[in-house]
Every structure is written in C-alpha cells, then in structure tokens.
Short mmCIF file of all heavy atoms in Angstrom, two decimals:
data_model
loop_
_atom_site.label_atom_id
_atom_site.label_comp_id
_atom_site.label_asym_id
_atom_site.label_seq_id
_atom_site.Cartn_x
_atom_site.Cartn_y
_atom_site.Cartn_z
N MET J 1 86.35 -20.30 -37.65
CA MET J 1 86.69 -21.09 -38.82
C MET J 1 88.19 -21.27 -38.95
O MET J 1 88.64 -22.28 -39.46
CB MET J 1 86.12 -20.44 -40.07
CG MET J 1 84.60 -20.50 -40.12
SD MET J 1 83.91 -19.77 -41.61
CE MET J 1 84.16 -21.10 -42.75
N ALA J 2 88.93 -20.29 -38.47
CA ALA J 2 90.38 -20.37 -38.60
C ALA J 2 90.98 -21.47 -37.73
O ALA J 2 92.00 -22.04 -38.07
CB ALA J 2 91.02 -19.03 -38.24
N THR J 3 90.33 -21.77 -36.60
CA THR J 3 90.89 -22.76 -35.67
C THR J 3 90.06 -24.03 -35.59
O THR J 3 90.48 -24.98 -34.96
CB THR J 3 90.98 -22.18 -34.25
OG1 THR J 3 89.65 -21.93 -33.77
CG2 THR J 3 91.81 -20.92 -34.21
N SER J 4 88.87 -24.03 -36.16
CA SER J 4 87.92 -25.13 -36.05
C SER J 4 87.42 -25.33 -34.62
O SER J 4 86.86 -26.36 -34.30
CB SER J 4 88.51 -26.44 -36.58
OG SER J 4 88.85 -26.30 -37.93
N ASP J 5 87.64 -24.35 -33.76
CA ASP J 5 87.19 -24.40 -32.38
C ASP J 5 85.99 -23.49 -32.20
O ASP J 5 85.89 -22.45 -32.85
CB ASP J 5 88.27 -23.93 -31.41
CG ASP J 5 89.46 -24.88 -31.34
OD1 ASP J 5 89.28 -26.07 -31.63
OD2 ASP J 5 90.56 -24.41 -31.01
N ILE J 6 85.10 -23.87 -31.30
CA ILE J 6 84.01 -23.00 -30.90
C ILE J 6 84.44 -22.34 -29.60
O ILE J 6 84.84 -23.03 -28.66
CB ILE J 6 82.70 -23.79 -30.70
CG1 ILE J 6 82.28 -24.41 -32.04
CG2 ILE J 6 81.61 -22.89 -30.13
CD1 ILE J 6 81.10 -25.34 -31.94
N ARG J 7 84.39 -21.01 -29.57
CA ARG J 7 84.87 -20.28 -28.40
C ARG J 7 83.78 -19.36 -27.86
O ARG J 7 82.90 -18.95 -28.59
CB ARG J 7 86.09 -19.43 -28.77
CG ARG J 7 87.25 -20.25 -29.25
CD ARG J 7 88.35 -19.36 -29.76
NE ARG J 7 89.44 -20.17 -30.28
CZ ARG J 7 90.68 -20.09 -29.84
NH1 ARG J 7 91.00 -19.23 -28.91
NH2 ARG J 7 91.61 -20.86 -30.35
N SER J 8 83.93 -19.00 -26.60
CA SER J 8 83.02 -18.01 -26.02
C SER J 8 83.35 -16.64 -26.61
O SER J 8 84.43 -16.45 -27.21
CB SER J 8 83.21 -17.95 -24.50
OG SER J 8 84.49 -17.40 -24.19
N LYS J 9 82.45 -15.70 -26.45
CA LYS J 9 82.72 -14.33 -26.94
C LYS J 9 83.99 -13.78 -26.31
O LYS J 9 84.81 -13.16 -26.99
CB LYS J 9 81.54 -13.41 -26.62
CG LYS J 9 80.33 -13.64 -27.46
CD LYS J 9 79.24 -12.67 -27.06
CE LYS J 9 77.96 -12.97 -27.79
NZ LYS J 9 76.89 -12.06 -27.38
N ASP J 10 84.15 -13.99 -25.00
CA ASP J 10 85.33 -13.47 -24.32
C ASP J 10 86.62 -14.10 -24.85
O ASP J 10 87.61 -13.40 -25.08
CB ASP J 10 85.23 -13.70 -22.81
CG ASP J 10 84.18 -12.82 -22.16
OD1 ASP J 10 83.83 -11.77 -22.73
OD2 ASP J 10 83.71 -13.18 -21.06
N ALA J 11 86.60 -15.40 -25.05
CA ALA J 11 87.80 -16.08 -25.56
C ALA J 11 88.10 -15.63 -26.99
O ALA J 11 89.26 -15.40 -27.33
CB ALA J 11 87.62 -17.59 -25.51
N ALA J 12 87.07 -15.48 -27.80
CA ALA J 12 87.29 -15.02 -29.17
C ALA J 12 87.81 -13.58 -29.18
O ALA J 12 88.69 -13.24 -29.97
CB ALA J 12 85.98 -15.10 -29.96
N ALA J 13 87.28 -12.76 -28.28
CA ALA J 13 87.73 -11.37 -28.21
C ALA J 13 89.18 -11.27 -27.75
O ALA J 13 89.87 -10.30 -28.07
CB ALA J 13 86.82 -10.56 -27.29
N ASP J 14 89.67 -12.27 -27.02
CA ASP J 14 91.10 -12.30 -26.66
C ASP J 14 91.95 -12.76 -27.83
O ASP J 14 93.08 -12.30 -28.00
CB ASP J 14 91.33 -13.28 -25.49
CG ASP J 14 90.86 -12.74 -24.16
OD1 ASP J 14 90.74 -11.51 -24.01
OD2 ASP J 14 90.60 -13.57 -23.26
N TRP J 15 91.43 -13.68 -28.63
CA TRP J 15 92.20 -14.29 -29.72
C TRP J 15 92.29 -13.40 -30.95
O TRP J 15 93.30 -13.36 -31.65
CB TRP J 15 91.51 -15.62 -30.10
CG TRP J 15 92.19 -16.40 -31.17
CD1 TRP J 15 93.23 -17.26 -31.02
CD2 TRP J 15 91.86 -16.41 -32.56
NE1 TRP J 15 93.57 -17.81 -32.22
CE2 TRP J 15 92.74 -17.29 -33.20
CE3 TRP J 15 90.91 -15.75 -33.33
CZ2 TRP J 15 92.70 -17.53 -34.56
CZ3 TRP J 15 90.86 -15.99 -34.68
CH2 TRP J 15 91.76 -16.87 -35.28
N VAL J 16 91.25 -12.65 -31.22
CA VAL J 16 91.12 -11.93 -32.49
C VAL J 16 92.00 -10.68 -32.64
O VAL J 16 92.56 -10.48 -33.72
CB VAL J 16 89.63 -11.55 -32.74
CG1 VAL J 16 89.48 -10.55 -33.86
CG2 VAL J 16 88.85 -12.81 -33.04
N PRO J 17 92.15 -9.83 -31.64
CA PRO J 17 92.80 -8.53 -31.89
C PRO J 17 94.13 -8.56 -32.61
O PRO J 17 94.35 -7.78 -33.53
CB PRO J 17 92.94 -7.92 -30.49
CG PRO J 17 91.85 -8.54 -29.72
CD PRO J 17 91.72 -9.94 -30.26
N GLU J 18 95.02 -9.46 -32.22
CA GLU J 18 96.33 -9.48 -32.88
C GLU J 18 96.25 -9.94 -34.33
O GLU J 18 97.19 -9.77 -35.09
CB GLU J 18 97.31 -10.35 -32.09
CG GLU J 18 96.96 -11.81 -32.10
CD GLU J 18 97.82 -12.61 -31.14
OE1 GLU J 18 98.05 -12.16 -30.02
OE2 GLU J 18 98.26 -13.70 -31.55
N ARG J 19 95.13 -10.50 -34.71
CA ARG J 19 94.95 -10.98 -36.08
C ARG J 19 94.20 -9.97 -36.96
O ARG J 19 94.09 -10.17 -38.16
CB ARG J 19 94.22 -12.32 -36.06
CG ARG J 19 95.09 -13.41 -35.47
CD ARG J 19 94.30 -14.60 -35.03
NE ARG J 19 95.18 -15.66 -34.53
CZ ARG J 19 95.66 -15.71 -33.30
NH1 ARG J 19 95.33 -14.79 -32.42
NH2 ARG J 19 96.46 -16.70 -32.93
N LEU J 20 93.70 -8.93 -36.33
CA LEU J 20 92.98 -7.88 -37.08
C LEU J 20 93.93 -6.80 -37.54
O LEU J 20 94.92 -6.51 -36.86
CB LEU J 20 91.95 -7.20 -36.17
CG LEU J 20 90.66 -7.90 -35.87
CD1 LEU J 20 89.86 -7.06 -34.87
CD2 LEU J 20 89.85 -8.14 -37.11
N PRO J 21 93.62 -6.16 -38.65
CA PRO J 21 94.37 -4.96 -39.00
C PRO J 21 94.18 -3.92 -37.89
O PRO J 21 93.11 -3.84 -37.26
CB PRO J 21 93.72 -4.48 -40.30
CG PRO J 21 93.08 -5.70 -40.88
CD PRO J 21 92.64 -6.51 -39.68
N ALA J 22 95.20 -3.15 -37.61
CA ALA J 22 95.17 -2.18 -36.51
C ALA J 22 93.97 -1.24 -36.58
O ALA J 22 93.44 -0.85 -35.54
CB ALA J 22 96.47 -1.38 -36.51
N ILE J 23 93.52 -0.92 -37.76
CA ILE J 23 92.40 0.01 -37.90
C ILE J 23 91.11 -0.53 -37.27
O ILE J 23 90.25 0.24 -36.84
CB ILE J 23 92.18 0.39 -39.38
CG1 ILE J 23 91.27 1.59 -39.48
CG2 ILE J 23 91.65 -0.79 -40.18
CD1 ILE J 23 91.25 2.22 -40.85
N HIS J 24 90.95 -1.84 -37.18
CA HIS J 24 89.73 -2.43 -36.64
C HIS J 24 89.81 -2.74 -35.14
O HIS J 24 88.79 -3.00 -34.50
CB HIS J 24 89.40 -3.72 -37.38
CG HIS J 24 89.07 -3.52 -38.82
ND1 HIS J 24 88.12 -2.63 -39.24
CD2 HIS J 24 89.60 -4.08 -39.93
CE1 HIS J 24 88.06 -2.66 -40.56
NE2 HIS J 24 88.95 -3.53 -41.00
N ARG J 25 90.98 -2.69 -34.57
CA ARG J 25 91.14 -3.07 -33.16
C ARG J 25 90.38 -2.18 -32.19
O ARG J 25 89.79 -2.68 -31.24
CB ARG J 25 92.62 -3.13 -32.81
CG ARG J 25 93.31 -4.28 -33.51
CD ARG J 25 94.78 -4.31 -33.23
NE ARG J 25 95.41 -5.29 -34.11
CZ ARG J 25 96.69 -5.33 -34.35
NH1 ARG J 25 97.50 -4.47 -33.76
NH2 ARG J 25 97.18 -6.24 -35.17
N PRO J 26 90.36 -0.85 -32.37
CA PRO J 26 89.60 -0.01 -31.43
C PRO J 26 88.10 -0.32 -31.41
O PRO J 26 87.49 -0.30 -30.33
CB PRO J 26 89.86 1.42 -31.92
CG PRO J 26 91.15 1.34 -32.66
CD PRO J 26 91.14 -0.02 -33.31
N ALA J 27 87.52 -0.63 -32.55
CA ALA J 27 86.09 -0.96 -32.58
C ALA J 27 85.82 -2.23 -31.79
O ALA J 27 84.85 -2.31 -31.02
CB ALA J 27 85.61 -1.11 -34.02
N LEU J 28 86.68 -3.23 -31.93
CA LEU J 28 86.51 -4.47 -31.18
C LEU J 28 86.72 -4.23 -29.69
O LEU J 28 85.96 -4.71 -28.86
CB LEU J 28 87.48 -5.55 -31.67
CG LEU J 28 87.39 -6.88 -30.92
CD1 LEU J 28 86.02 -7.52 -31.11
CD2 LEU J 28 88.49 -7.81 -31.38
N ALA J 29 87.74 -3.46 -29.35
CA ALA J 29 88.01 -3.18 -27.94
C ALA J 29 86.84 -2.44 -27.29
O ALA J 29 86.45 -2.75 -26.15
CB ALA J 29 89.29 -2.37 -27.80
N GLY J 30 86.26 -1.50 -28.01
CA GLY J 30 85.11 -0.77 -27.48
C GLY J 30 83.91 -1.66 -27.29
O GLY J 30 83.23 -1.60 -26.26
N ALA J 31 83.63 -2.51 -28.26
CA ALA J 31 82.50 -3.43 -28.16
C ALA J 31 82.72 -4.41 -27.02
O ALA J 31 81.80 -4.72 -26.26
CB ALA J 31 82.31 -4.17 -29.48
N ARG J 32 83.93 -4.88 -26.88
CA ARG J 32 84.22 -5.84 -25.80
C ARG J 32 84.07 -5.18 -24.44
O ARG J 32 83.52 -5.77 -23.51
CB ARG J 32 85.62 -6.40 -25.95
CG ARG J 32 85.91 -7.41 -24.85
CD ARG J 32 87.15 -8.20 -25.13
NE ARG J 32 87.15 -9.37 -24.29
CZ ARG J 32 88.15 -9.70 -23.50
NH1 ARG J 32 89.24 -8.97 -23.47
NH2 ARG J 32 88.09 -10.77 -22.76
N ALA J 33 84.55 -3.96 -24.30
CA ALA J 33 84.43 -3.26 -23.02
C ALA J 33 82.97 -3.09 -22.63
O ALA J 33 82.61 -3.28 -21.46
CB ALA J 33 85.13 -1.90 -23.11
N LEU J 34 82.13 -2.75 -23.59
CA LEU J 34 80.69 -2.63 -23.30
C LEU J 34 80.10 -3.97 -22.91
O LEU J 34 79.32 -4.07 -21.95
CB LEU J 34 79.95 -2.07 -24.52
CG LEU J 34 80.19 -0.59 -24.83
CD1 LEU J 34 79.53 -0.23 -26.15
CD2 LEU J 34 79.67 0.29 -23.70
N HIS J 35 80.48 -5.03 -23.61
CA HIS J 35 79.97 -6.37 -23.32
C HIS J 35 80.37 -6.80 -21.90
O HIS J 35 79.54 -7.28 -21.13
CB HIS J 35 80.50 -7.38 -24.34
CG HIS J 35 80.21 -8.80 -24.00
ND1 HIS J 35 78.95 -9.35 -24.09
CD2 HIS J 35 81.03 -9.78 -23.56
CE1 HIS J 35 79.00 -10.61 -23.71
NE2 HIS J 35 80.25 -10.90 -23.39
N VAL J 36 81.62 -6.63 -21.56
CA VAL J 36 82.12 -7.04 -20.24
C VAL J 36 81.43 -6.24 -19.13
O VAL J 36 81.12 -6.78 -18.08
CB VAL J 36 83.66 -6.89 -20.18
CG1 VAL J 36 84.18 -7.04 -18.76
CG2 VAL J 36 84.33 -7.91 -21.09
N ALA J 37 81.17 -4.96 -19.40
CA ALA J 37 80.52 -4.10 -18.40
C ALA J 37 79.01 -4.34 -18.33
O ALA J 37 78.34 -3.81 -17.47
CB ALA J 37 80.80 -2.63 -18.73
N GLY J 38 78.49 -5.13 -19.28
CA GLY J 38 77.06 -5.37 -19.31
C GLY J 38 76.26 -4.18 -19.78
O GLY J 38 75.10 -4.01 -19.44
N LYS J 39 76.91 -3.34 -20.57
CA LYS J 39 76.26 -2.13 -21.07
C LYS J 39 76.13 -2.21 -22.59
O LYS J 39 76.81 -2.97 -23.25
CB LYS J 39 77.08 -0.90 -20.70
CG LYS J 39 77.21 -0.70 -19.20
CD LYS J 39 78.01 0.52 -18.89
CE LYS J 39 78.12 0.70 -17.38
NZ LYS J 39 78.90 1.87 -17.04
N TYR J 40 75.27 -1.38 -23.11
CA TYR J 40 75.08 -1.33 -24.55
C TYR J 40 75.61 -0.03 -25.13
O TYR J 40 76.14 -0.01 -26.21
CB TYR J 40 73.61 -1.51 -24.93
CG TYR J 40 73.11 -2.89 -24.58
CD1 TYR J 40 72.38 -3.11 -23.43
CD2 TYR J 40 73.41 -3.97 -25.38
CE1 TYR J 40 71.94 -4.38 -23.10
CE2 TYR J 40 72.99 -5.24 -25.06
CZ TYR J 40 72.25 -5.43 -23.92
OH TYR J 40 71.84 -6.69 -23.60
N GLY J 41 75.45 1.05 -24.41
CA GLY J 41 75.95 2.33 -24.89
C GLY J 41 75.26 2.76 -26.17
O GLY J 41 74.37 2.09 -26.68
N SER J 42 75.68 3.87 -26.68
CA SER J 42 75.14 4.39 -27.94
C SER J 42 76.01 3.90 -29.09
O SER J 42 77.23 4.04 -29.06
CB SER J 42 75.13 5.91 -27.92
OG SER J 42 74.79 6.40 -29.21
N TRP J 43 75.35 3.34 -30.09
CA TRP J 43 76.09 2.83 -31.24
C TRP J 43 76.10 3.82 -32.40
O TRP J 43 76.72 3.57 -33.43
CB TRP J 43 75.49 1.50 -31.69
CG TRP J 43 75.84 0.42 -30.72
CD1 TRP J 43 75.14 0.06 -29.62
CD2 TRP J 43 77.01 -0.38 -30.73
NE1 TRP J 43 75.79 -0.94 -28.94
CE2 TRP J 43 76.95 -1.23 -29.59
CE3 TRP J 43 78.11 -0.48 -31.57
CZ2 TRP J 43 77.94 -2.15 -29.30
CZ3 TRP J 43 79.09 -1.40 -31.28
CH2 TRP J 43 79.01 -2.23 -30.16
N THR J 44 75.45 4.95 -32.23
CA THR J 44 75.36 5.92 -33.31
C THR J 44 76.73 6.33 -33.82
O THR J 44 77.00 6.30 -35.01
CB THR J 44 74.56 7.17 -32.86
OG1 THR J 44 73.27 6.73 -32.41
CG2 THR J 44 74.40 8.16 -33.98
N GLU J 45 77.61 6.70 -32.91
CA GLU J 45 78.95 7.13 -33.31
C GLU J 45 79.83 5.94 -33.70
O GLU J 45 80.73 6.08 -34.52
CB GLU J 45 79.61 7.91 -32.18
CG GLU J 45 78.91 9.23 -31.90
CD GLU J 45 79.53 9.97 -30.73
OE1 GLU J 45 80.64 9.58 -30.28
OE2 GLU J 45 78.91 10.93 -30.25
N ARG J 46 79.59 4.80 -33.11
CA ARG J 46 80.43 3.62 -33.35
C ARG J 46 80.04 2.86 -34.62
O ARG J 46 80.83 2.08 -35.14
CB ARG J 46 80.31 2.65 -32.17
CG ARG J 46 80.86 3.17 -30.91
CD ARG J 46 80.71 2.10 -29.82
NE ARG J 46 81.22 2.57 -28.56
CZ ARG J 46 80.46 3.03 -27.59
NH1 ARG J 46 79.16 3.07 -27.73
NH2 ARG J 46 80.99 3.44 -26.47
N ARG J 47 78.83 3.07 -35.08
CA ARG J 47 78.29 2.24 -36.17
C ARG J 47 79.21 2.12 -37.39
O ARG J 47 79.46 1.01 -37.85
CB ARG J 47 76.91 2.77 -36.58
CG ARG J 47 76.23 1.83 -37.58
CD ARG J 47 74.77 2.20 -37.79
NE ARG J 47 74.01 1.82 -36.61
CZ ARG J 47 73.18 2.62 -35.95
NH1 ARG J 47 72.98 3.84 -36.36
NH2 ARG J 47 72.54 2.20 -34.89
N PRO J 48 79.75 3.20 -37.94
CA PRO J 48 80.61 3.04 -39.14
C PRO J 48 81.83 2.15 -38.90
O PRO J 48 82.17 1.31 -39.74
CB PRO J 48 81.03 4.47 -39.49
CG PRO J 48 79.98 5.34 -38.87
CD PRO J 48 79.55 4.61 -37.62
N LYS J 49 82.47 2.32 -37.75
CA LYS J 49 83.67 1.51 -37.47
C LYS J 49 83.30 0.05 -37.18
O LYS J 49 84.02 -0.86 -37.57
CB LYS J 49 84.44 2.11 -36.30
CG LYS J 49 85.09 3.41 -36.68
CD LYS J 49 85.90 3.99 -35.56
CE LYS J 49 86.54 5.29 -36.03
NZ LYS J 49 87.37 5.91 -35.03
N VAL J 50 82.16 -0.16 -36.52
CA VAL J 50 81.73 -1.52 -36.23
C VAL J 50 81.31 -2.23 -37.52
O VAL J 50 81.61 -3.40 -37.71
CB VAL J 50 80.60 -1.53 -35.18
CG1 VAL J 50 79.99 -2.92 -35.04
CG2 VAL J 50 81.14 -1.04 -33.84
N ARG J 51 80.66 -1.52 -38.41
CA ARG J 51 80.29 -2.12 -39.70
C ARG J 51 81.54 -2.51 -40.49
O ARG J 51 81.59 -3.58 -41.10
CB ARG J 51 79.42 -1.16 -40.51
CG ARG J 51 78.01 -1.14 -40.03
CD ARG J 51 77.15 -0.29 -40.91
NE ARG J 51 75.76 -0.36 -40.46
CZ ARG J 51 74.85 0.51 -40.77
NH1 ARG J 51 75.13 1.54 -41.56
NH2 ARG J 51 73.62 0.38 -40.32
N ALA J 52 82.53 -1.63 -40.49
CA ALA J 52 83.78 -1.95 -41.19
C ALA J 52 84.45 -3.17 -40.56
O ALA J 52 84.96 -4.04 -41.26
CB ALA J 52 84.72 -0.75 -41.17
N LEU J 53 84.42 -3.24 -39.24
CA LEU J 53 84.98 -4.40 -38.53
C LEU J 53 84.23 -5.66 -38.92
O LEU J 53 84.84 -6.69 -39.19
CB LEU J 53 84.88 -4.18 -37.02
CG LEU J 53 85.17 -5.38 -36.13
CD1 LEU J 53 86.58 -5.89 -36.33
CD2 LEU J 53 84.92 -5.02 -34.67
N ALA J 54 82.92 -5.60 -39.00
CA ALA J 54 82.12 -6.78 -39.36
C ALA J 54 82.36 -7.21 -40.81
O ALA J 54 82.36 -8.40 -41.12
CB ALA J 54 80.64 -6.48 -39.15
N ARG J 55 82.59 -6.25 -41.67
CA ARG J 55 82.85 -6.60 -43.08
C ARG J 55 84.20 -7.29 -43.26
O ARG J 55 84.36 -8.11 -44.16
CB ARG J 55 82.78 -5.34 -43.95
CG ARG J 55 81.38 -4.89 -44.27
CD ARG J 55 81.36 -3.82 -45.35
NE ARG J 55 82.10 -2.63 -44.98
CZ ARG J 55 81.57 -1.54 -44.39
NH1 ARG J 55 80.30 -1.51 -44.10
NH2 ARG J 55 82.32 -0.50 -44.12
N TYR J 56 85.16 -6.96 -42.43
CA TYR J 56 86.50 -7.53 -42.60
C TYR J 56 86.51 -9.06 -42.51
O TYR J 56 86.99 -9.72 -43.44
CB TYR J 56 87.49 -6.91 -41.60
CG TYR J 56 88.84 -7.55 -41.69
CD1 TYR J 56 89.70 -7.23 -42.73
CD2 TYR J 56 89.24 -8.52 -40.78
CE1 TYR J 56 90.94 -7.84 -42.85
CE2 TYR J 56 90.47 -9.13 -40.88
CZ TYR J 56 91.31 -8.79 -41.92
OH TYR J 56 92.53 -9.40 -42.04
N PRO J 57 86.00 -9.68 -41.43
CA PRO J 57 86.04 -11.15 -41.42
C PRO J 57 85.14 -11.78 -42.47
O PRO J 57 85.45 -12.85 -42.99
CB PRO J 57 85.60 -11.53 -40.01
CG PRO J 57 84.93 -10.33 -39.47
CD PRO J 57 85.49 -9.14 -40.19
N THR J 58 84.04 -11.11 -42.79
CA THR J 58 83.15 -11.63 -43.83
C THR J 58 83.90 -11.72 -45.15
O THR J 58 83.85 -12.74 -45.85
CB THR J 58 81.91 -10.74 -43.97
OG1 THR J 58 81.24 -10.69 -42.71
CG2 THR J 58 80.97 -11.26 -45.03
N ALA J 59 84.63 -10.66 -45.49
CA ALA J 59 85.41 -10.66 -46.73
C ALA J 59 86.53 -11.71 -46.67
O ALA J 59 86.79 -12.38 -47.67
CB ALA J 59 86.00 -9.27 -46.97
N SER J 60 87.13 -11.86 -45.50
CA SER J 60 88.21 -12.86 -45.36
C SER J 60 87.69 -14.28 -45.58
O SER J 60 88.34 -15.09 -46.22
CB SER J 60 88.83 -12.74 -43.97
OG SER J 60 89.43 -11.48 -43.80
N VAL J 61 86.52 -14.57 -45.01
CA VAL J 61 85.93 -15.90 -45.19
C VAL J 61 85.58 -16.12 -46.65
O VAL J 61 85.81 -17.21 -47.19
CB VAL J 61 84.69 -16.07 -44.29
CG1 VAL J 61 83.91 -17.33 -44.67
CG2 VAL J 61 85.10 -16.11 -42.83
N ARG J 62 85.04 -15.11 -47.30
CA ARG J 62 84.68 -15.24 -48.72
C ARG J 62 85.91 -15.48 -49.60
O ARG J 62 85.79 -16.12 -50.64
CB ARG J 62 83.90 -14.03 -49.19
CG ARG J 62 82.50 -14.04 -48.62
CD ARG J 62 81.67 -12.92 -49.16
NE ARG J 62 80.32 -13.02 -48.61
CZ ARG J 62 79.54 -12.00 -48.37
NH1 ARG J 62 79.94 -10.78 -48.65
NH2 ARG J 62 78.35 -12.17 -47.87
N GLU J 63 87.05 -14.97 -49.20
CA GLU J 63 88.27 -15.23 -49.97
C GLU J 63 88.66 -16.70 -49.87
O GLU J 63 89.09 -17.30 -50.85
CB GLU J 63 89.43 -14.38 -49.43
CG GLU J 63 89.34 -12.92 -49.81
CD GLU J 63 90.50 -12.12 -49.23
OE1 GLU J 63 91.50 -12.71 -48.78
OE2 GLU J 63 90.39 -10.88 -49.24
N VAL J 64 88.48 -17.28 -48.69
CA VAL J 64 88.86 -18.68 -48.48
C VAL J 64 87.80 -19.63 -49.01
O VAL J 64 88.11 -20.67 -49.56
CB VAL J 64 89.09 -18.94 -46.98
CG1 VAL J 64 89.38 -20.42 -46.72
CG2 VAL J 64 90.24 -18.08 -46.46
N TYR J 65 86.52 -19.24 -48.84
CA TYR J 65 85.40 -20.09 -49.25
C TYR J 65 84.49 -19.32 -50.21
O TYR J 65 83.39 -18.94 -49.85
CB TYR J 65 84.58 -20.53 -48.03
CG TYR J 65 85.37 -21.30 -47.02
CD1 TYR J 65 85.84 -20.68 -45.86
CD2 TYR J 65 85.67 -22.64 -47.21
CE1 TYR J 65 86.57 -21.39 -44.91
CE2 TYR J 65 86.41 -23.35 -46.28
CZ TYR J 65 86.86 -22.71 -45.13
OH TYR J 65 87.59 -23.41 -44.21
N PRO J 66 84.96 -19.08 -51.43
CA PRO J 66 84.12 -18.32 -52.37
C PRO J 66 82.84 -19.09 -52.71
O PRO J 66 82.82 -20.31 -52.74
CB PRO J 66 85.00 -18.17 -53.62
CG PRO J 66 86.09 -19.18 -53.46
CD PRO J 66 86.19 -19.53 -52.02
N SER J 67 81.79 -18.33 -52.94
CA SER J 67 80.51 -18.99 -53.25
C SER J 67 80.35 -19.23 -54.73
O SER J 67 81.09 -18.89 -55.57
CB SER J 67 79.36 -18.16 -52.75
OG SER J 67 79.45 -16.83 -53.19
#
C-alpha cells in the first residue's frame, strides 16, 4: 500500500526491513530465512514476535485508512 506496487515475497522482504522498527526486524529475518530455505521450522518460540510483527503493519494501515 505504501508504494502502490505489487511485489513478490522476496522483493517485499528486501524492501521492508529498513522501514520496520528495529524490534521487529529479527522476526522478519527469521521468517524470510525459513522461506528462502524452503523450511517451516517450529513457530512455537517465534509466535509472539511474529504476531507482534504482524500487528505492526496492520496498525499502521489502520492509522492511514481508519474504518
């Protein structure tokens, strides 16, 4: 939504990190590494950080486009 472009997961994963707060970058890097390796790994330990990462852009979009 920020660029009006549709990107692949890999391209988006390259574009996003510098725009995220530092606290969310490790969760994205870990998810991307698993994706690139074609692995899923265990999400049990990652779940809280990934959920926080997912909430961040959702909240950002809601600030720009309130319902």
